[in-house]
Amino acid sequence: MHLIRRGDPHLAVRSSEGLTTVELYGELDLVLVQRVRPELDVLAREAPALTVDLRHVTFCDASGLGLLVRCAQRVQDRGAAWRLVCDQPMILRLVRLAALDDVLRPSPPAPPADEGPPAPHPSLPGRLPV
């Protein structure tokens, strides 16, 4: 699998064996949403499995959440696999406050092959710390 920069410093896509991963960078606000929406729409329509990785996103507003919901619903409506990778506490809190956990289903990044799964937060068994 290799990373493909798409001429936009805020978007990178990689595909391998039916899995497409989109990495977003910067602030997921109205300006970035307008720039990346066309490509995300195509991937949401066509990728057999789509992962959107927000680990490099420093901010997300309502328009960013709207884009993520749009992608997730399109992918899930056609029965494809959807995954949202996020370890940003403020974004996870925003998802939770907007009651979008069931739609977006954020998950932590996979641990490196030599590590086990992350330990659950002691106050929220089985949930991400927020």
Side-chain angles (χ1 to χ4, degrees):
M1 187 177 325
H2 62 284
L3 191 65
I4 303 168
R5 287 285 183 175
R6 301 289 183 146
D8 187 326
H10 303 288
L11 174 79
V13 179
R14 64 179 167 223
S15 292
S16 177
E17 300 174 9
L19 172 64
T20 300
T21 300
V22 176
E23 291 182 6
L24 296 174
Y25 298 84
E27 296 184 353
L28 190 52
D29 57 9
L30 183 59
V31 173
L32 185 56
V33 165
Q34 291 174 339
R35 291 172 69 174
V36 301
R37 181 185 300 132
E39 183 143 9
L40 285 176
D41 281 349
V42 169
L43 294 170
R45 272 194 316 269
E46 298 175 3
L50 182 62
T51 296
V52 175
D53 186 339
L54 300 182
R55 287 180 290 173
H56 305 288
V57 171
T58 57
F59 171 81
C60 183
D61 67 8
S63 61
L65 278 183
L67 176 67
L68 295 172
V69 167
R70 175 182 168 133
C71 286
Q73 288 177 330
R74 287 182 174 190
V75 170
Q76 293 169 26
D77 286 350
R78 62 183 182 81
W82 163 261
R83 183 168 181 234
L84 179 68
V85 175
C86 184
D87 61 359
Q88 303 294 331
M90 293 305 291
I91 296 172
L92 293 168
R93 183 170 188 259
L94 182 62
V95 168
R96 190 180 71 234
L97 290 173
L100 294 172
D101 287 317
D102 290 341
V103 175
L104 295 178
R105 296 184 273 175
S107 63
D114 58 343
E115 292 182 25
H121 190 276
S123 64
L124 300 171
R127 302 232 22 199
L128 289 173
V130 179

